[in-house]
Amino acid sequence: MTSTTPSYAQYCPISRALDVLGERWSLLIARDLFLGTTRFNDLARGLPGLSRSLLAKRLRQFERAGLVDKLGTEYVLTEAGRDLEPILFGLGEWGARWTFGEPRPDERDAALLVWWMHNRLDTTQLPGRRQVLAVRFTDDPRRFWIVVEAGAASVCETDPGYPVDVTISADVAGLYEVWLGRLPLTHAQHTGRVRFIGPHAVTRRMPDVLRLSPVAGYVRATTQQARAS
């Protein structure tokens, strides 16, 4: 593996790894690639603070380092890229234990949360080939729709014109905390911070439809330990 970025010039495997992954945004790009985002525009949408030019630069660096192959319009992790799993989730576990808390105001990005959520929905228990979930935030005027057709999900910020199966109503911080495992969904529902609006036969399935973040387990475990101590 080679890189054209400045090296730390230390003969150490940690130093060599940081030559590839130590620059700003690199690990978050790797996170999203590992979680299944493969197209440039989708990567850009999931990393709203990252310029498209810097994203393109980082992906070229990943290609040169042997972490990804570009196959047509998709970036696919190589064996070396897939081997980042314990590093990424190890950071997630450490972060959940030592740096995590309530979402700060600058972290309450409603559009990003909906984007993250749409790839984690399991609508197999819902009827029909198309399911539409509307997301309404009590503290953000924007309106979002998640449309799932034949298992493929997309996010709309204008009304797609289809009947809505379920409306998810929540405050931004509350839904973030639920999705990241810091706030149990049952408690959020009981206190009214998260509501599912629609036919009962559909809304009662929403806890199974709304799969949580891949790092929610670490956050949940840390939160439970803190409450027990």
Side-chain angles (χ1 to χ4, degrees), residues 11 31 33 37-38 42 65 75 82 84 89-90 93 97 107 115 140 142 145 153 165-166 174 181 194 196 215 219:
Y11 187 55
R31 174 201 66 186
L33 286 165
T37 306
T38 60
D42 291 342
Y75 294 88
R82 294 191 298 273
L84 288 171
F89 283 95
E93 184 175 14
R97 183 176 182 186
E107 296 173 327
W115 179 254
D140 190 306
R142 291 174 292 177
W145 292 261
D165 296 286
V166 176
V194 175
F196 299 122
V215 297
V219 177

Side-chain angles (χ1 to χ4, degrees), residues 71-150:
L71 304 178
T73 60
E74 298 192 51
Y75 294 88
V76 180
L77 288 170
T78 62
E79 180 182 1
R82 294 191 298 273
D83 273 355
L84 288 171
E85 178 178 5
I87 297 170
L88 293 169
F89 283 95
L91 281 171
E93 184 175 14
W94 182 89
R97 183 176 182 186
W98 296 108
T99 69
F100 210 55
E102 295 182 2
R104 299 189 299 263
D106 64 333
E107 296 173 327
R108 299 173 190 174
D109 185 333
L112 180 59
L113 174 58
V114 174
W115 179 254
W116 282 349
M117 288 169 51
H118 94 282
N119 279 324
R120 297 285 297 170
L121 297 175
D122 180 1
T123 60
T124 56
Q125 295 188 41
L126 301 183
R129 286 178 53 83
R130 179 193 299 126
Q131 297 86 36
V132 180
L133 309 180
V135 185
R136 302 289 179 265
F137 291 104
T138 58
D139 52 351
D140 190 306
R142 291 174 292 177
R143 295 156 62 87
F144 303 93
W145 292 261
I146 301 174
V147 180
V148 185
E149 295 193 78

Side-chain angles (χ1 to χ4, degrees), residues 5-229:
T5 57
S7 170
Y8 287 100
Q10 294 186 6
Y11 187 55
C12 165
I14 296 174
S15 172
R16 290 280 185 91
L18 289 174
D19 284 345
V20 177
L21 294 165
E23 294 189 88
R24 184 168 171 80
W25 292 103
S26 291
L27 283 174
L28 292 183
I29 296 169
R31 174 201 66 186
D32 286 7
L33 286 165
F34 184 81
L35 295 177
T37 306
T38 60
R39 296 179 183 273
F40 184 90
N41 286 339
D42 291 342
L43 287 165
R45 189 166 181 180
L47 298 162
L50 172 61
S51 72
R52 294 173 70 88
S53 60
L54 184 55
L55 173 59
K57 179 181 178 181
R58 292 287 183 264
L59 289 170
R60 288 194 299 269
Q61 291 171 341
F62 281 11
E63 284 188 82
R64 287 194 294 267
L67 299 182
V68 299
D69 291 324
K70 188 177 182 183
L71 304 178
T73 60
E74 298 192 51
Y75 294 88
V76 180
L77 288 170
T78 62
E79 180 182 1
R82 294 191 298 273
D83 273 355
L84 288 171
E85 178 178 5
I87 297 170
L88 293 169
F89 283 95
L91 281 171
E93 184 175 14
W94 182 89
R97 183 176 182 186
W98 296 108
T99 69
F100 210 55
E102 295 182 2
R104 299 189 299 263
D106 64 333
E107 296 173 327
R108 299 173 190 174
D109 185 333
L112 180 59
L113 174 58
V114 174
W115 179 254
W116 282 349
M117 288 169 51
H118 94 282
N119 279 324
R120 297 285 297 170
L121 297 175
D122 180 1
T123 60
T124 56
Q125 295 188 41
L126 301 183
R129 286 178 53 83
R130 179 193 299 126
Q131 297 86 36
V132 180
L133 309 180
V135 185
R136 302 289 179 265
F137 291 104
T138 58
D139 52 351
D140 190 306
R142 291 174 292 177
R143 295 156 62 87
F144 303 93
W145 292 261
I146 301 174
V147 180
V148 185
E149 295 193 78
S154 59
V155 176
C156 302
E157 296 190 27
T158 57
D159 190 341
Y162 303 127
V164 172
D165 296 286
V166 176
T167 296
I168 303 171
S169 175
D171 65 281
V172 177
L175 192 54
Y176 258 114
E177 291 191 82
V178 166
W179 198 74
L180 268 299
R182 194 167 185 272
L183 178 65
L185 177 58
T186 51
H187 180 75
Q189 290 180 275
H190 179 72
T191 57
R193 294 193 69 182
V194 175
R195 294 189 301 141
F196 299 122
I197 304 166
H200 178 68
V202 178
T203 58
R204 67 184 178 86
R205 290 177 165 83
M206 287 305 295
D208 295 322
V209 171
L210 187 64
R211 295 188 302 159
L212 303 184
S213 164
V215 297
Y218 301 133
V219 177
R220 183 186 303 113
T222 299
T223 302
Q224 290 173 345
Q225 290 171 3
R227 288 170 179 165
S229 62

